[in-house]
Amino acid sequence: MRQIGTCRANGGALLAHAGEVKLSPVEQFYFDASLHAQKRNPEMTKMPLTVLLISAVSVAFVSPGWADTLPLSKIDRKTEAAIRRSNAKQNVRCFDYILKDFLERKIRKADIYVTFNDPAIDGIGIGIAETDENYSCEAGELRSWEQGSYQVAKKFK
């Protein structure tokens, strides 16, 4: 029996008697390439695992700086508690104020989007889907997006 290639599924070798299995030239090229790479440098097969581990560790310790944006209908109690805990009391009061306004206006929870953990703002962002009605609660202020910039609409203590 001779080795005709490697099998990635089980990490072993594909073995066959001479002449028993015919491979296309393309298949033979890929099987031979991995065989020759392993013979030249057996450590090369461990390289992808090392790169994967280093990537996983770096992602775990380095915050990518992305904000979380979810529709209000998808925010559960645990997420809501985390949002409230991670923000100042004034920002939470502001958040409650604007949510109460949206719900009194009978805007569906699926259309209200909440942005949190955003490195660009120190607070909570709130908006209505498919409209220009966007607000943020930062530094105890309700800020509305008007004329290309945020305008302070109300202050909370």
Side-chain angles (χ1 to χ4, degrees), residues 10-80:
N10 64 7
L14 291 177
L15 302 174
H17 292 287
E20 188 176 291
V21 176
K22 297 283 184 186
L23 298 175
S24 72
V26 173
E27 291 171 327
Q28 189 63 46
F29 171 79
Y30 284 111
F31 286 136
D32 288 345
S34 64
L35 260 175
H36 294 302
Q38 287 176 5
K39 287 178 184 174
R40 281 193 313 265
N41 186 1
E43 295 297 318
M44 187 174 162
T45 58
K46 296 178 185 172
M47 185 68 165
L49 181 61
T50 305
V51 170
L52 179 67
L53 286 174
I54 290 171
S55 299
V57 169
S58 65
V59 168
F61 290 109
V62 177
S63 173
W66 295 321
D68 295 317
T69 301
L70 294 172
L72 188 60
S73 61
K74 300 286 184 188
I75 294 178
D76 57 6
R77 290 181 187 264
K78 185 177 178 181
T79 307
E80 182 182 0

Side-chain angles (χ1 to χ4, degrees), residues 92-108:
V92 173
R93 284 191 205 112
C94 171
F95 177 67
D96 291 339
Y97 175 83
I98 194 67
L99 281 183
K100 182 180 176 188
D101 178 59
F102 284 172
L103 296 175
E104 284 175 354
R105 290 169 36 196
K106 300 200 185 316
I107 298 171
R108 296 178 339 147

Side-chain angles (χ1 to χ4, degrees), residues 5 9 11-12 15 17-18 23-24 35 52 67 75 83 101 110 115-118 121 134 141 147:
L15 302 174
H17 292 287
L23 298 175
S24 72
L35 260 175
L52 179 67
I75 294 178
I83 293 170
D101 178 59
T115 302
F116 52 98
N117 295 338
D118 189 346
I121 63 171
N134 296 308
E141 299 175 337
Q147 301 170 353

